[in-house]
Amino acid sequence: MTITRFAPSPTGRLHVGNIRTALHNWMMARQAGGTFILRIDDTDAERSREEFVDAIRTDLIWLGLDWDCEERQSARLGRYQAAFDALRAVGRIYPCYETAQELDVKRKIQLSRGLPPIYDRAGLKLTDAERAARETEGQAPHWRFLLDHAEPITWEDGIRGAQKFDPAQLSDPVIRRADGSWLYMMPSAVDDIDMGITQVLRGEDHVSNTAVQIQIFTALFAAAFNAAGSAAKRLPAFAHEALLVGREGKLSKRLGSLGCDAFRTSGVEPEAIIALLARLGTSQPVEPIADRAALVSSFDLTSFGRAPAKFDDEDLERLNAAIVHQLPFEAVAGRLPDGMDAAGWHAIRPNLAHVGEAEEWWRLVTGPIIQPGFTPDDKAFLAKAGSLLTWGQDPWGQLTGALKEATDRKGRALFLPLRQALTGMDHGPDMSELLPLIGELETRERLAQAAA
Ligand code: GLU
């Protein structure tokens, strides 16, 4: 059974980076017929906002990334307390009393001596009497997890391969603030245990967190803290994807750093974002695949590269156009101008970069159109066209066929004045699809007007 999770902090809107993580976790679960969990990481009460929780849900729904169950860290504080108690009982959590400024000074001194800014474990070295003195002074402690320095931390990363960390090179992480609130590190591991997460796939900015969390998992298992009702002591498999960067290094202001709202308002289809992010940074080609199932079945963690993946607005626009050209009428019906039916959509969609442009093009059918001025020669030709027009199965094919026979025109000289007279434009949809939509009466009127 594959169980994955997407664990956003509701402190802002989703951007392409987290959409990509959500997508890959969703694909992995769907491919395996497993479970995809949306976990709201809202232990930071000050920065978390309900409006962002709603926006995350709205965005995932718009992207078509459905989740099987939703969890919230703020509803699970009792479990974190239980884990805390279990780890404290075995000496893996210890209180510390430094202020932020004191820690900052320590770091600066270490750095000035050319040393890595690793926490010196001063809190661990306090005697009971020293601790008691601080408590009577009214100082509340914050809490750190005691890393075990005995052995290197290793794991086989699904993307990065064999990983090895020396725990002595890491600071014991603060897991709980002095006000009792939780930092990210331990609750996430507790949730992954309780929810039976089998695969943790996230950005490479979490690689060193994984090293720490592996020790937290192991310490929790050793302290007999398992998922409620389970004796399983299994670590999830970890994989860390390379970061997304923009063409010039940073993600672009326009789309890259913005969220789904920006995509929506600029007319980018969810399927285009999905097709791009599904394969960006992998060895599989980015293609305009509008078929979700095809993308899901092609998901392959081993195809993910370690180099930063380049997100480019222009790639997205190109992909979007190619996706729009494939969208069936039913997928867009609600967004089309009044009166535009399946035949209209079919005729017009090859010309669109965005669905929203359908309205402009539909005016070629409904009119009014603005014709250019024609030379006397063209006028005569267009008058002839009016007289040769018959309205059968394929009026365009019949008209152009008849004109070829009746005049010495062919190619551009034949087609361009007709297109200009009938649409007011030099280019556009396939005329044989367009003419039946314009209708016989209107076609005759436009030819007559051009010939006049
Ligand atoms: N809330 C964390 C984040 O958004 C989750 C990281 C994780 O996947 O464990 O970075």
Side-chain angles (χ1 to χ4, degrees), residues 42-61:
D42 59 349
T43 55
D44 187 340
E46 241 164 66
R47 292 177 59 229
S48 298
R49 300 241 188 296
E50 208 48 38
E51 71 196 76
F52 291 132
V53 178
D54 290 338
I56 288 166
R57 292 196 198 108
T58 306
D59 289 348
L60 291 178
I61 291 168

Side-chain angles (χ1 to χ4, degrees), residues 5 7-9 39 41 184 188 192 200-202 205-206 213:
R5 87 293 196 282
S9 307
R39 186 184 91 198
D41 279 6
Y184 157 75
S188 181
D192 289 341
V200 171
L201 171 59
R202 53 191 175 190
D205 48 330
H206 284 287
Q213 285 172 334

Side-chain angles (χ1 to χ4, degrees), residues 394-450:
D394 172 19
W396 176 255
Q398 283 168 313
L399 175 64
T400 51
L403 281 166
K404 257 180 227 166
E405 271 182 29
T407 70
D408 53 5
R409 291 196 185 215
K410 55 181 170 29
R412 192 178 155 83
L414 179 104
F415 293 111
L416 186 62
L418 285 173
R419 180 181 281 285
Q420 289 173 329
L422 291 166
T423 69
M425 298 190 64
D426 293 352
H427 65 95
D430 184 339
M431 290 302 296
S432 61
E433 287 191 52
L434 210 54
L435 220 50
L437 297 168
I438 294 172
E440 180 176 4
L441 214 65
E442 179 71 12
T443 300
R444 287 194 186 284
E445 223 155 83
R446 290 182 190 182
L447 287 174
Q449 195 190 338

Side-chain angles (χ1 to χ4, degrees), residues 152-200:
I153 305 165
T154 60
W155 76 92
E156 188 60 33
D157 193 283
I159 294 170
R160 297 164 62 84
Q163 299 292 296
K164 188 171 179 176
F165 273 79
D166 175 2
Q169 296 304 312
L170 301 169
S171 291
D172 290 339
V174 177
I175 57 161
R176 194 173 197 178
R177 299 187 189 86
D179 65 3
S181 64
W182 301 99
L183 282 119
Y184 157 75
M185 202 66 89
M186 193 195 73
S188 181
V190 171
D191 291 346
D192 289 341
I193 292 175
D194 278 354
M195 293 161 203
I197 302 300
T198 59
Q199 323 271 338
V200 171

Side-chain angles (χ1 to χ4, degrees), residues 165-413:
F165 273 79
D166 175 2
Q169 296 304 312
L170 301 169
S171 291
D172 290 339
V174 177
I175 57 161
R176 194 173 197 178
R177 299 187 189 86
D179 65 3
S181 64
W182 301 99
L183 282 119
Y184 157 75
M185 202 66 89
M186 193 195 73
S188 181
V190 171
D191 291 346
D192 289 341
I193 292 175
D194 278 354
M195 293 161 203
I197 302 300
T198 59
Q199 323 271 338
V200 171
L201 171 59
R202 53 191 175 190
E204 70 179 10
D205 48 330
H206 284 287
V207 171
S208 63
N209 290 342
T210 294
V212 169
Q213 285 172 334
I214 284 176
Q215 282 215 356
I216 295 180
F217 280 108
T218 313
L220 284 168
F221 291 146
F225 180 93
N226 303 102
S230 147
K233 294 183 190 241
R234 199 169 32 95
L235 290 177
F238 292 96
H240 297 86
E241 28 189 23
L243 297 182
L244 273 186
V245 294
R247 222 182 351 179
E248 288 96 25
K250 280 196 317 213
L251 279 178
S252 83
K253 269 273 162 311
R254 195 166 88 75
L255 293 179
S257 61
L258 302 175
C260 288
D261 273 352
F263 291 130
R264 255 186 304 250
T265 47
S266 62
V268 176
E269 300 297 314
E271 294 309 333
I273 302 163
I274 298 292
L276 179 62
L277 294 180
R279 296 205 174 157
L280 196 63
T282 77
S283 58
Q284 299 193 59
V286 172
E287 291 166 340
I289 301 175
D291 174 7
R292 226 19 108 92
L295 277 178
V296 166
S297 66
S298 72
F299 180 80
D300 177 8
L301 209 51
T302 65
S303 73
F304 282 63
R306 291 194 52 176
K310 284 208 170 62
F311 177 88
D312 185 341
D313 289 351
E314 282 172 26
D315 290 344
L316 183 60
E317 289 292 356
R318 262 193 299 279
L319 213 52
N320 193 62
I323 295 262
V324 168
H325 303 165
Q326 301 173 44
L327 290 176
F329 175 67
E330 304 74 57
V332 292
R335 293 188 280 156
L336 298 182
D338 283 349
M340 189 168 176
D341 57 4
W345 170 245
H346 201 265
I348 278 169
R349 84 184 166 176
N351 295 276
L352 307 180
H354 300 123
V355 174
E357 294 157 12
E359 179 127 30
E360 255 164 69
W361 286 101
W362 189 235
R363 258 182 248 135
L364 302 193
V365 171
T366 58
I369 58 158
I370 301 168
Q371 295 168 330
F374 291 102
T375 62
D377 213 29
D378 279 346
K379 285 188 178 182
F381 170 72
L382 291 166
K384 181 130 222 135
S387 69
L388 289 175
L389 181 71
T390 56
W391 206 260
Q393 264 299 313
D394 172 19
W396 176 255
Q398 283 168 313
L399 175 64
T400 51
L403 281 166
K404 257 180 227 166
E405 271 182 29
T407 70
D408 53 5
R409 291 196 185 215
K410 55 181 170 29
R412 192 178 155 83

Side-chain angles (χ1 to χ4, degrees), residues 64-144:
L65 304 180
D66 56 325
W67 56 100
D68 304 300
C69 87
E70 183 176 321
E71 300 278 357
R72 284 183 88 120
Q73 292 198 319
S74 57
R76 295 179 36 79
L77 302 180
R79 281 301 277 169
Y80 309 146
Q81 184 65 50
F84 180 87
D85 294 341
L87 292 178
R88 206 180 157 202
V90 295
R92 293 299 295 272
I93 287 179
Y94 62 94
C96 297
Y97 296 87
E98 296 93 341
T99 62
Q101 289 96 315
E102 283 165 351
L103 288 172
D104 200 40
V105 170
K106 282 189 193 192
R107 267 193 297 270
K108 285 192 176 127
I109 294 174
Q110 287 169 312
L111 289 171
S112 72
R113 292 186 186 148
L115 298 169
I118 300 167
Y119 178 59
D120 62 6
R121 293 188 161 173
L124 192 60
K125 293 161 199 154
L126 294 175
T127 64
D128 286 349
E130 284 168 327
R131 269 195 291 271
R134 293 183 193 243
E135 302 279 338
T136 41
E137 278 167 26
Q139 281 188 46
H142 57 272
W143 302 85
R144 289 189 189 257

